[in-house]
Amino acid sequence: MSTIAAISTPVGAGGIGILRVSGEDALKIADAIFVCKKKSAAETLRQNPLKLCFGDFIAEDFRDRGYAVYFPADKAYTGEETTEFYLHGGVRIMQGALAAAVAAGARMAERGEFTKRAFLAGRMSLADAEGVADMINAESAAGLRAAYRLMDGSVAKRINVIADRLLEVMTGLEAVLDYPEETEDEVLPPLGGELEGLLSEVDSLISTARRGRIAKHGITAVLAGRPNAGKSSLMNALLGEDRAIVTAVAGTTRDTVEGSFECDGVRVNLIDTAGLRQSNDVVESMGISRAVQAARNADVVLLVTDTTREDDGEYDFGGVRVFRIRNKCDLTSYACPRMRDCFAVSAKEGVNVEQLRHAIAALYKEGEVAGEELITSERHVSALYRAKSALKSAIEAIDGTVDCVLVDLREAYEALGEITGRTATESIVDNIFSKFCVGK
Ligand code: GDP
């Protein structure tokens, strides 16, 4: 494999910029682009692994002063010899530094190529690698905590326990096929309990998917209700900024307006929609149908009503959880009945807005089990469902032949292996790393 190079820090001016070089020529390239005081860069770095070595970076048309460090293959992220250069973080400096590494024989790294090499070298599972990308992209504390458990191998470990057990069962059954000393009636029935146990393990992982999705992408809360109920005002109050346009003319919010905030470590994505009412205006009507659509895809609908007016009607949000918000409570003495999911607020005066923020964020806590690993990725969820249905078929096939059970167990094993990478195809692997950033 060729030696690759990339700038690992974001483009822009910053205190430090990092150039990373990985592959068998890492030291040779360091020698061409870095000079240390007493000995050659290659010698200095090799003799001081994992230590910062001070020196000058030599680009084609300038020098910078900084540090270089050498990671021997067994200590490097990629599992192959790596050198890193810590320079001043200027755009032009880093461009020149990368160009110097390329001129010295490196190839520019593709997206996620360092992590891909780490995966191919067996230093991490595919799920761990996805955890690295999730760490970088996380937008909330909950997202970071879930990503960390993916990155540190906790999720892969749970999957592997199931997969290893499946492998043992499969090996046992294959032996029965090869040396039929025992009959199918003897070996199959006792497996029932074991397979049920594995199925419930898969199920318990699947049951974390709702929270996993929220950890990664946030809670989607849609503001709905009659025009002028105060949806846009509430949106701004929840966001703490003037995001939506607020006017006294009914029908101002014709399309959806979005914004997000973090509360108690959870990201909340707010969508303000067009008011729910009959309209002859084509654009407004489109906005209204979008509003209903958005509400049906949400985690929670904030159904805003004006307490000074008659509450007029029920809406069908397709079973989505609804928080009833009685807005403009500053104008009346109305207090919300002490009902679950019912809130009296004043968007204008900020009354109870903070409580509402916490109540929305608390939806994440529902169904929480201490210390659990969360399944955060669609890819993992769909693989788990495939494993589940294959395991179910295997259990049903226990009355039949060893062959039939084996086919189902192999399918379950393959599905689980796609998550950790044991059985992932090249195209799955390529697709995952193509979504990484360059330099990681
Ligand atoms: P939307 O059409 O549901 O988005 O409603 P808006 O947010 O545009 O508000 C409609 C009108 O109600 C505006 O004149 C707001 O100033 C007013 N309003 C919104 N919230 C409150 C509130 O809590 N108290 C009072 N007194 N007026 C409010």
Side-chain angles (χ1 to χ4, degrees), residues 15-193:
I16 295 172
I18 299 177
L19 171 73
R20 184 185 261 176
V21 179
S22 173
E24 58 181 15
D25 290 337
L27 276 175
K28 200 176 119 203
I29 290 169
D31 224 16
I33 59 181
F34 203 75
V35 288
C36 297
K37 239 191 184 141
K38 290 185 183 143
K39 297 180 197 137
S40 77
E43 224 172 312
T44 311
L45 290 168
R46 188 182 289 110
Q47 285 166 4
N48 298 282
L50 307 177
K51 289 204 180 108
L52 291 176
C53 301
F54 185 68
D56 263 13
F57 191 95
I58 318 290
E60 192 203 357
D61 45 8
F62 67 88
R63 279 180 170 233
D64 188 20
R65 187 150 286 181
Y67 290 93
V69 63
Y70 165 62
F71 299 87
D74 62 331
K75 295 272 167 35
Y77 180 70
T78 51
E80 53 189 25
E81 284 186 86
T82 301
T83 48
E84 285 184 3
F85 304 88
Y86 302 81
L87 309 174
H88 293 104
V91 178
R92 181 61 179 82
I93 297 173
M94 298 318 294
Q95 271 175 358
L98 179 59
V102 169
R107 165 172 73 69
M108 276 208 256
E110 288 164 17
R111 286 174 174 274
E113 199 170 359
F114 293 100
T115 310
K116 185 176 178 183
R117 288 187 174 198
F119 163 66
L120 294 175
R123 289 188 72 84
M124 58 172 77
S125 80
L126 197 53
D128 302 1
E130 288 173 294
V132 172
D134 284 359
M135 283 297 291
I136 292 171
N137 296 324
E139 294 173 315
S140 67
L144 281 170
R145 288 195 299 267
Y148 187 86
R149 291 190 88 92
L150 189 58
M151 178 179 74
D152 84 344
S154 306
V155 174
K157 202 163 145 197
R158 279 189 65 181
I159 305 275
N160 281 338
V161 167
I162 308 172
D164 287 346
R165 213 31 225 129
L166 273 176
L167 201 57
E168 275 175 45
V169 173
M170 278 155 45
T171 314
L173 290 180
E174 270 152 13
V176 172
L177 284 184
D178 293 341
Y179 311 99
E181 283 149 20
E182 292 171 293
T183 63
E184 295 184 329
D185 306 350
E186 283 169 338
V187 290
L188 287 178
L191 287 181

Side-chain angles (χ1 to χ4, degrees), residues 30 90 141 149 168 170 186 207 219 253 292-293 302 324 330 337-338 350 433 437:
R149 291 190 88 92
E168 275 175 45
M170 278 155 45
E186 283 169 338
S207 72
I219 291 171
T253 311
V292 175
Q293 199 53 45
L302 309 180
R324 291 176 183 281
D330 54 302
R338 286 205 150 274
F433 289 105
C437 47

Side-chain angles (χ1 to χ4, degrees), residues 334-390:
Y334 177 86
C336 234
R338 286 205 150 274
M339 259 167 62
R340 180 176 178 249
D341 294 352
C342 188
F343 304 80
V345 309
S346 166
K348 200 169 178 180
E349 306 293 333
V351 180
N352 283 344
V353 171
E354 199 50 34
Q355 282 86 330
L356 181 58
R357 283 165 60 98
H358 290 295
I360 300 169
L363 292 173
Y364 172 63
K365 291 241 180 273
E366 292 184 357
E368 184 177 23
V369 181
E372 69 176 0
E373 289 78 34
L374 297 178
I375 299 298
T376 52
S377 122
E378 278 297 313
R379 189 180 87 79
H380 298 176
V381 175
S382 98
L384 283 167
Y385 271 112
R386 267 187 288 133
K388 176 181 172 163
S389 97

Side-chain angles (χ1 to χ4, degrees), residues 306-318:
D306 181 338
T307 46
T308 63
R309 286 168 186 258
E310 277 291 298
D311 193 0
D312 56 356
E314 287 294 312
Y315 303 96
D316 176 15
F317 298 117

Side-chain angles (χ1 to χ4, degrees), residues 282-310:
V282 179
V283 178
E284 196 187 335
S285 297
M286 281 169 65
I288 292 168
S289 74
R290 252 184 245 181
V292 175
Q293 199 53 45
R296 289 186 172 186
N297 291 328
D299 292 300
V300 61
V301 174
L302 309 180
L303 182 58
V304 186
T305 51
D306 181 338
T307 46
T308 63
R309 286 168 186 258
E310 277 291 298

Side-chain angles (χ1 to χ4, degrees), residues 227-233 246-248 327-328 330-331 346-348:
N228 264 333
K231 297 178 294 300
S232 303
S233 306
V246 179
T247 65
N327 188 32
K328 312 194 187 181
D330 54 302
L331 296 178
S346 166
K348 200 169 178 180

